[in-house]
Amino acid sequence: MPAAILPLIEAAGRWPERGALVGLDLGTKTIGVAVSDPDRRLATGVETIQRKAFKSDAARLLAICTERKVVGFVLGLPINMDGSEGPRAQSTRAFARNLAGLTDLPIGLWDERLSTAAVERELIGMDVSRARRAEVIDTHAAIFILQGALDRLATLRQSGR
C-alpha cells in the first residue's frame, strides 16, 4: 500500500510516538538529507544526494531510512510567497507520489518558504566561502526544514493538540 502524503500535522498522527524522521530538501540537481534523533528533538545533516534518476535517488533515500530506523518523511514543499504552488511545488508533489509507491512510511509536507535563503544568509554570516556554501547548502536546508517541523510538532505536543 502506498504511503500517505499529508500536511505535516496530519502525517504526524500516522507516525509512531518515537522514531527518527528524515527531512528532505529537493533541488533540481541535489537532495539535501537530514535525520532527527528518535525523540524528534534535533535534526542533523546526513548527506547531499546528487540526483541522477528517480530510482537510484529513491534507493539511496530508502537505504538511509533503513540505516537510521526512520518512521516517516518530512518533505520541504516550496510554496510561493503568496501561498500559491508553482512548478517546484508541483515537482515536489510528483516526487512524493513516486516515493509513496515505494514505501509505506508516511510523508509529511512542510512549508519550506525561504529555507535555502535563510541558510544562505546564515552561512554568509559565518563567513563560509562561496565554494563551501555550494557544497553544504542543500544538507543545511534539509536540517532547517526538519528542525522547523520538529519544533512545530513539539509546540503542538506541549499545547496538548
Side-chain angles (χ1 to χ4, degrees), residues 23-26 74-78 88 92 108-112 145:
L24 304 177
D25 176 52
L26 289 180
V74 174
L75 186 55
L77 185 64
R88 284 194 59 231
T92 298
L109 300 175
W110 177 244
D111 182 352
E112 66 137 313
I145 290 164

Side-chain angles (χ1 to χ4, degrees), residues 11-88:
R14 305 239 179 148
W15 296 324
E17 288 277 323
R18 284 191 85 243
L21 299 176
V22 65
L24 304 177
D25 176 52
L26 289 180
T28 54
K29 297 178 183 174
T30 59
I31 302 172
V33 183
V35 175
S36 76
D37 62 291
D39 292 321
R40 302 183 193 151
R41 292 195 177 110
L42 184 65
T44 306
V46 175
E47 69 181 77
T48 298
I49 298 170
Q50 297 299 317
R51 292 186 80 169
K52 295 176 182 110
F54 174 78
K55 283 190 176 190
S56 63
D57 299 345
R60 180 64 194 133
L61 288 173
L62 295 174
I64 291 168
C65 290
T66 301
E67 292 163 13
R68 306 284 179 134
K69 298 177 176 61
V70 166
V71 298
F73 289 92
V74 174
L75 186 55
L77 185 64
I79 300 196
N80 294 326
M81 292 309 292
D82 66 1
S84 66
E85 292 189 15
R88 284 194 59 231

